[in-house]
Amino acid sequence: RYQIHSNSIKGMELVPISNIATVVVTGGDDNSLSVSLLLTYPSNTGKTAQVSTVSIPDAHAAAVSAVKVLNQQISCDIPSNTESIEITVASSGNDHRVKIWSITVDPTKPGTQGITVGFLLDAYSSVADISSVGLIHGPEKGLPMKSQAHGSEIKQSRLVVCGVGMEMFAAESDRALSA
């Protein structure tokens, strides 16, 4: 048992990164977004599970009810010869905001030293009581990007926000989402 929010968790995504390491991204009714690195070991090793958590208090102005992994990739730092996992996550909730976060996890660093969370984007959504966020993948299966040809088939990924209604977003630039 490990408490990462002051009350209930409203949304969660799991990103397995190795046989023993999983990144757990959660949103809670305490308005925070938390990123945990969970290390689990086979029972015959004598080691117990380890959890390291970085929380962003007040990530939203109200409960965070939805989180969605948009993209993940392995990044290699040539000078130090270390690999880290880069994860892009969307979060949303009762404040009518859709936010995009960049998470970097280096499982070789101890505790929270290997977890970095950065804020990327913020957009308003007219959907009330947002309960879930989904992703419709374009051919690149990455972050939403502006389409090249107006009226053509979907050539990009789209973020779908659901609650009392639905809204679909595409990114117009590195710093904006558009409906």
Side-chain angles (χ1 to χ4, degrees):
R1 180 179 168 97
Y2 188 77
Q3 185 169 349
I4 57 176
H5 290 276
S6 62
N7 209 342
S8 69
I9 293 172
K10 299 293 188 186
M12 178 181 75
E13 283 277 278
L14 301 174
V15 181
I17 59 175
S18 75
N19 289 340
I20 63 165
T22 301
V23 176
V24 182
V25 182
T26 59
D29 62 4
D30 57 0
N31 307 354
S32 69
L33 181 78
S34 293
V35 178
S36 301
L37 177 60
L38 172 62
L39 300 175
T40 55
Y41 302 98
S43 58
N44 63 352
T45 63
K47 294 182 181 180
T48 59
Q50 296 175 338
V51 180
S52 303
T53 301
V54 171
S55 289
I56 310 299
D58 299 320
H60 284 265
V64 180
S65 57
V67 292
K68 181 66 177 172
V69 171
L70 304 178
N71 192 9
Q72 66 187 61
Q73 62 186 8
I74 297 174
S75 175
C76 185
D77 182 41
I78 307 263
S80 65
N81 196 29
T82 58
E83 286 186 350
S84 60
I85 308 302
E86 293 179 3
I87 304 166
T88 307
V89 174
S91 65
S92 193
N94 297 334
D95 61 354
H96 289 270
R97 307 307 298 177
V98 176
K99 296 186 178 187
I100 309 294
W101 306 87
S102 172
I103 300 167
T104 304
V105 177
D106 181 350
T108 64
K109 292 184 179 176
T112 59
Q113 294 176 17
I115 304 171
T116 305
V117 180
F119 175 74
L120 296 177
L121 300 170
D122 183 1
Y124 173 79
S125 173
S126 60
V127 175
D129 294 329
I130 295 172
S131 62
S132 61
V133 177
L135 189 65
I136 298 173
H137 289 289
E140 298 300 316
K141 292 190 178 185
L143 283 175
M145 296 171 50
K146 187 174 183 175
S147 68
Q148 299 297 319
H150 181 68
S152 65
E153 70 277 2
I154 294 177
K155 294 183 179 182
Q156 64 202 19
S157 297
R158 307 255 181 172
L159 189 64
V160 180
V161 177
C162 298
V164 179
M166 294 179 6
E167 188 171 12
M168 187 164 34
F169 290 91
E172 291 185 348
S173 70
D174 290 343
R175 290 299 207 205
L177 288 174
S178 67

